[in-house]
Amino acid sequence: MTASMQIIGGGLAGCEAAWQAAQRGCLVELYEMKPTRFSPAHELDLLGELVCSNSLRSNAPDSAVGLLKEEMRRLDSLIMRAAEATAIPAGTALAVDRLRFAAYLTQVMAEHPRIRVIREEVTNLPETDRPVILATGPLTSEAMTASLIAMTGEQHLAFYDAIAPIVAADSLNMELIYRKSRWDDDTPGDYLNCPMDEAQYNAFIELLGNAQTVPLKAFEEPKYFEGCLPIEVMCARGRDTLRFGPMKPVGLADPRTGKEPHAVVQLRAENRDETAYNLVGFQTKLTYAEQQRVFRTIPGLEQTEFVRLGSIHRNTFICAPVLLDQFLQMKKRPGLFLAGQLSGVEGYVESAATGLLAGINAARLALGQTMAAPPSGTALCALIRHLTETDPAHFQPSNVNFGLFPPLLGRVRKKDRGGRRAELALRLLEEWKEESLG
C-alpha cells in the first residue's frame, strides 16, 4: 500500500512540506480553503501568497538567514526554487515578484503526480492513522484554533504583525528620489531613496506620532514581534528611533550632492517590472486615511498612488516548547506535525524551513522509516532548538539568528564568525544528508 498523508494549508510551509513528502514517494492530499474562504490578509486564490513583504531577506552566506537558505537549497527546497525562478533585483537580499512566485508554486502543486490539491476548508483536526501536517499559518481560523486547543489543552498565544504599504512607481517624484543601495558605491543600486533633512524628519515624526491608528478589538491585546514593529510604535519609543531603524541614512549619500541625508525612507521593487514599490520597514496600523495623509509628506511621495495600504492582523502560534518534539511532531498526538508560523517561527524562510522538516519527517513516518532531526550547528537545528528548548514562560516567535546557535569553539574574530558558522553548518548538513536521509 502506498504511503500517504494529509497537509492542511497551502502557504509556504504547506507547499514545501507537500513537495518534500511527494519527492520521497508519498501521496499527499493538500487542503487549501481558498477560494472558498479567504483570511483577512489574503487576496489571491493562488497557493503560497506572500502578504507582508516580497523580500526573503539576506542572501549573504555568512548571515543566519542566508545560511538557512543555503541549507534548504541543499535539501532541494521548492520555496528556494520558486524564489530564484521569480527573483527581482534587491541588492544582497532575495526578493521575488509576488504574483509569479505564487503562480510558480501553484503550478508545481497542480502538476506533481503525487500531490492532489483539494480546495476546501478543514475546520477540525482529522481523525486518521495517516500523518497530518497542520500548516494553516498565522491566521488560522477560529474553528481550527479551537480544535487545536481542545486537543492540546493549552491556550494559544497571539501577536500582531503589520503589513507595509505599496506605491505605484509612476506616481513617484524622481526629481527628489534617488536610486542607491546601502554600501553599493559603484552601482546605481536596487533601492529608491526618499531623503529628509532634519526639519523634514522632525515634522514627519510629529505628524506620525499624532496620527490615528486602527483601534484593537476588545478581546485583543497588542503583542508585537520586535522584528516587525509598526512604524508608529517605533516612533513612540523616541524621536531618533526611526533614524537608527528603517530610516537610517548611513551608507546612503545622495549621489547628486554627495551628502548623507538626516534620514531616508527606502523603497524596494515589488515586482520584476518595477511598477510598484514597497515602503521598507513601514508596516503600520494607521488608518487608511492617515496613511495617505502622513506618508504623502515623505519627499517624493507627495502625489503617490497607493497600490496597497498597510494593515494589521492577528498571528496565532502555539507554545512550541511545551507541545512539540524535535521532529515538529505534537507530543500529545504522534503523527500530527505543525509547520510554519503556527509552530512559533517568524518569517517566510523560517516558515518554509519548518515545512521542509515536517514534510521530511512525516514522509519518513509514513514510509516506516526513522525520523531525523537536523544536527546541532546548522540553521535548521537552531530553529528547532528555539521551538523546543526555549523557556515556555518566555517563548515568542523568532527569526533565525546566530544567537540560537551553539557557541563556536576557540577564538574567532568577530568578522569571521558568520563564515565559520556557515562552513561548519554546511559540512554537518552534508554528513546528515548522507547518514540520516540516505
Side-chain angles (χ1 to χ4, degrees):
M1 183 176 179
T2 305
S4 64
M5 70 175 65
Q6 291 177 294
I7 299 176
I8 306 171
L12 301 189
C15 288
E16 183 68 58
W19 169 262
Q20 293 292 332
Q23 290 294 92
R24 285 165 172 75
C26 283
L27 296 179
V28 177
E29 294 176 354
L30 177 62
Y31 288 84
E32 169 54 52
M33 70 180 187
K34 299 188 301 184
T36 303
R37 181 181 175 190
F38 288 82
S39 81
H42 289 86
E43 300 175 348
L44 306 175
D45 61 3
L46 299 173
L47 303 177
E49 180 183 357
L50 304 180
V51 299
C52 185
S53 166
N54 68 328
S55 174
L56 277 66
R57 312 199 318 278
S58 175
N59 238 349
D62 59 352
S63 69
V65 71
L67 173 58
L68 180 59
K69 292 189 187 77
E70 182 56 29
E71 291 180 11
M72 293 170 67
R73 291 186 187 100
R74 296 190 182 202
L75 293 171
D76 190 25
S77 164
L78 174 64
I79 298 305
M80 289 297 99
R81 286 190 182 201
E84 285 154 9
T86 61
I88 61 175
T92 59
L94 175 58
V96 302
D97 183 307
R98 291 175 196 255
L99 188 59
R100 288 187 172 94
F101 176 82
Y104 183 105
L105 293 176
T106 303
Q107 182 175 355
V108 170
M109 293 293 102
E111 295 179 352
H112 199 293
R114 287 189 288 273
I115 298 174
R116 182 162 70 100
V117 179
I118 303 171
R119 296 283 189 158
E120 64 181 56
E121 183 180 6
V122 179
T123 57
N124 293 285
L125 292 170
E127 294 294 335
T128 177
D129 293 332
R130 297 184 296 168
V132 174
I133 299 176
L134 185 62
T136 45
L139 297 175
T140 295
S141 70
E142 291 183 6
M144 181 56 77
T145 300
S147 179
L148 185 60
I149 291 172
M151 186 271 290
T152 63
E154 298 287 336
Q155 179 61 42
H156 71 280
L157 303 174
F159 71 101
Y160 296 83
D161 197 6
I163 296 173
I166 297 173
V167 296
D170 59 8
S171 67
L172 302 175
N173 182 356
M174 298 305 297
E175 292 185 2
L176 299 178
I177 298 171
Y178 60 92
R179 183 178 291 274
K180 183 175 174 58
S181 295
R182 208 182 306 274
W183 312 128
D184 289 348
D185 296 328
D186 299 326
T187 64
D190 297 324
Y191 289 79
L192 300 183
N193 300 274
C194 305
M196 290 184 181
D197 60 27
E198 185 172 1
Q200 290 170 323
Y201 175 78
N202 289 336
F204 176 76
I205 292 300
E206 189 71 22
L207 197 61
L208 180 61
N210 291 301
Q212 183 180 0
T213 59
V214 177
L216 296 176
K217 296 179 181 178
F219 61 85
E220 292 181 324
E221 178 185 354
K223 292 185 178 181
Y224 300 112
F225 170 57
E226 283 293 322
C228 195
L229 289 172
I231 192 77
E232 60 277 3
V233 172
M234 287 187 276
C235 177
R237 293 184 172 184
R239 177 167 292 274
D240 287 323
T241 300
L242 292 177
R243 289 190 61 241
F244 291 94
M247 296 178 68
K248 181 171 64 177
V250 177
L252 295 173
D254 189 335
R256 298 166 298 194
T257 65
K259 296 181 179 179
E260 189 173 273
H262 187 73
V264 165
V265 176
Q266 285 203 300
L267 309 179
R268 181 181 58 236
E270 185 66 18
N271 52 38
R272 278 182 175 168
D273 298 328
E274 298 186 350
T275 58
Y277 281 82
N278 186 293
L279 273 66
V280 178
F282 268 57
Q283 52 277 351
T284 183
K285 62 187 181 74
L286 295 181
T287 64
Y288 284 176
E290 290 287 72
Q291 287 181 52
Q292 295 179 69
R293 182 176 72 92
V294 174
F295 296 154
R296 281 183 176 141
T297 66
I298 296 170
L301 304 189
E302 295 87 352
Q303 303 297 324
T304 195
E305 173 191 349
F306 287 89
V307 176
R308 183 193 70 186
L309 289 162
S311 64
I312 188 167
H313 60 272
R314 192 186 72 176
N315 284 325
T316 303
F317 61 96
I318 65 163
C319 186
V322 174
L323 300 176
L324 293 184
D325 67 16
Q326 71 270 34
F327 309 116
L328 298 178
Q329 183 179 223
M330 295 292 289
K331 296 176 183 177
K332 292 189 175 183
R333 182 175 157 179
L336 174 62
F337 299 79
L338 263 66
Q341 285 185 250
L342 184 62
S343 70
V345 296
E346 172 63 23
Y348 293 149
V349 181
E350 291 84 348
S351 295
T354 58
L356 181 149
L357 292 174
I360 289 174
N361 281 311
R364 294 181 70 84
L365 180 64
L367 294 165
Q369 301 170 349
T370 303
M371 290 187 286
S376 178
T378 61
L380 287 166
C381 183
L383 285 178
I384 297 297
R385 289 183 61 183
H386 170 68
L387 294 178
T388 59
E389 298 181 14
T390 302
D391 180 357
H394 301 102
F395 179 71
Q396 285 289 317
S398 177
N399 295 118
V400 68
N401 61 79
F402 284 136
L404 302 177
F405 285 58
L408 289 168
L409 298 178
R411 298 186 64 179
V412 182
R413 291 184 302 176
K414 185 176 181 180
K415 69 176 184 177
D416 296 331
R417 290 173 189 168
R420 180 69 62 86
R421 289 189 186 279
E423 180 183 0
L424 174 63
L426 295 176
R427 177 173 58 80
L428 292 169
L429 185 79
E430 292 299 328
E431 293 173 356
W432 181 63
K433 280 175 58 180
E434 183 177 348
E435 296 171 3
S436 299
L437 301 184

